[in-house]
Amino acid sequence: MIPPLRREVLVTASPEHAFALFTERIGDWWPLARFGVFGDGTVAFEERLIVERSGDRESVWGEVTSWEPPGALGFTWHPGYGSGHATDVRVTFEAAGEQTLVTLVHSGWERMTDPQAARREYGNGWPAVLAGFAALAMSS
């Protein structure tokens, strides 16, 4: 079994506000040019899906598996791939004084064609993605 990947970021926001920013404003902080299927357009939580749109193109990145505001969120993850290659992501929002510790745990690497390479790639990508989220939290 390949161990889950864990990344944390401390944001200047309450858990309620951090959860809302993460889910309602993902299109404002997600770096689509670097980490998107199309490289432009929008990304949003739509019903129980995470969807990137660019013009008339659409890519479902994952399906929400748990929605527990303001404490946690879970979803499958397969941007650019079919759901048969989905991994699992769980994000928690825990009060830390005047801030919130946001912890992302990404698992299910065994479903990928090259599990070790996928884990390495996401290990490098998630910090940049979460930095964008932290920057939005700081300015909101």
Side-chain angles (χ1 to χ4, degrees):
M1 181 173 150
I2 299 170
L5 181 66
R6 180 185 178 98
R7 294 294 183 257
E8 297 178 342
V9 65
L10 198 58
V11 299
T12 306
S14 67
E16 293 81 7
H17 189 59
F19 186 94
L21 288 175
F22 196 97
T23 57
E24 295 169 19
R25 296 188 55 195
I26 189 171
D28 293 338
W29 58 266
W30 191 276
L32 276 177
R34 186 168 171 202
F35 297 111
V37 173
F38 307 121
D40 64 356
T42 63
V43 62
F45 282 83
E46 297 180 9
E47 301 291 322
R48 297 198 60 85
L49 300 176
I50 305 166
V51 181
E52 178 184 353
R53 296 183 185 283
S54 180
D56 61 353
R57 298 177 299 172
E58 171 184 297
S59 177
V60 174
W61 289 3
E63 297 80 31
V64 174
T65 55
S66 65
W67 186 271
E68 307 160 34
L73 168 70
F75 46 90
T76 62
W77 191 246
H78 54 86
Y81 298 96
S83 59
H85 289 92
T87 52
D88 301 298
V89 176
R90 182 157 176 86
V91 184
T92 58
F93 303 82
E94 182 181 346
E98 299 292 315
Q99 298 176 308
T100 297
L101 178 63
V102 179
T103 303
L104 182 143
V105 178
H106 193 162
S107 61
W109 304 110
E110 295 78 12
R111 296 182 210 118
M112 302 298 289
T113 304
D114 186 342
Q116 292 289 355
R119 187 180 188 281
R120 272 192 308 277
E121 182 180 343
Y122 278 102
N124 293 325
W126 280 123
V129 169
L130 292 174
F133 171 67
L136 178 65
M138 190 176 232
S139 68
S140 296

